[in-house]
Amino acid sequence: MGTPQLTNCPKCGKLFLRIRNICDVCYKKQEDDFLKAAAYLREHTGITLQELSDATDVSVTQIRQFIWAGRILVDNFPNLSYPCESCRNMIQKGRKCSSCTDTLNRLANQVGIKEENEKRDPSQERDGITGGYISHYLKEKSEK
Ligand SMILES: [Zn+2]
Ligand SMILES: [Zn+2]
C-alpha cells in the first residue's frame, strides 16, 4: 500500500487522509450507527428495515450497507428486507434480486450467453442425445 492520500470523503465530501474509505468523523458515526442498529436488532428480531431505521435514526441506506458488508446477518431477521435496486421487489441479499441480476448478467455477456443458449437449445440437445444413442446403437450392432 502506498502513502495515504488526501481525498474527499464519499459520505460528507470533506477532505481527509485516505486511511480507510471514509473520513474519521463518518467512520465514527458509521460505527455508532452499527452498534445502535445491532443492539436494537437483538431486541427486535422481527423488525423491518424501515422500522429499524425509524427507531435508531440510522438511515436505511446505511443499514443496507451493513447488510451488504455482511455485518448484519439477515438470516436471523426475517423481515429485514429492502427493495431490489432495479425492480423494487423486496430482497434480503445483494443489491438486486436474482432475476434482475440474471437479466443484467445476460445483458453484460449477451454474446457469450447467446452462444450458451444455442448450445442448450432443448431440441438440439434432444437431437444430440438421440443421434449419439443411435450411432452408438448402430456401432454396437455392426460390431456383433
Ligand atoms: Zn466524511
Ligand atoms: Zn429486481
Side-chain angles (χ1 to χ4, degrees):
M1 290 300 213
T3 350
Q5 291 186 329
L6 268 181
T7 181
N8 288 98
C9 169
K11 274 186 188 282
C12 68
K14 258 187 294 203
L15 214 59
F16 77 112
L17 205 57
R18 197 189 160 95
I19 303 163
R20 51 176 79 88
N21 294 335
I22 51 177
C23 75
D24 279 349
V25 180
C26 289
Y27 181 76
K28 176 93 176 48
K29 168 135 184 16
Q30 180 181 288
E31 292 313 291
D32 285 350
D33 283 354
F34 176 71
L35 292 178
K36 248 195 297 186
Y40 198 83
L41 264 176
R42 261 197 296 273
E43 309 284 313
H44 308 82
T45 48
I47 200 170
T48 67
L49 195 70
Q50 189 58 57
E51 284 166 351
L52 177 63
S53 171
D54 290 345
T56 56
D57 248 352
V58 180
S59 74
V60 168
T61 314
Q62 180 63 77
I63 299 167
R64 231 164 25 188
Q65 277 170 3
F66 292 143
I67 296 173
W68 289 337
R71 301 184 70 182
I72 292 176
L73 296 175
V74 189
D75 294 348
N76 303 327
F77 312 107
N79 298 322
L80 215 60
S81 51
Y82 49 87
C84 160
E85 282 188 345
S86 299
C87 70
R88 321 308 289 168
N89 271 339
M90 296 308 274
I91 53 170
Q92 285 204 296
K93 277 195 179 88
R95 294 169 184 242
K96 294 186 175 65
C97 70
S98 50
S99 78
C100 286
T101 309
D102 283 354
T103 311
L104 214 76
N105 287 343
R106 211 170 306 149
L107 288 177
N109 320 293
Q110 210 158 29
V111 181
I113 295 285
K114 198 167 162 255
E115 283 169 6
E116 284 271 299
N117 280 346
E118 275 166 11
K119 270 185 219 148
R120 263 193 245 128
D121 183 274
S123 67
Q124 281 189 14
E125 202 165 279
R126 212 169 34 237
D127 286 351
I129 290 165
T130 316
Y133 175 72
I134 285 176
S135 55
H136 183 70
Y137 177 78
L138 288 177
K139 199 168 162 243
E140 259 189 350
K141 272 248 163 186
S142 64
E143 270 169 9
K144 272 177 191 167

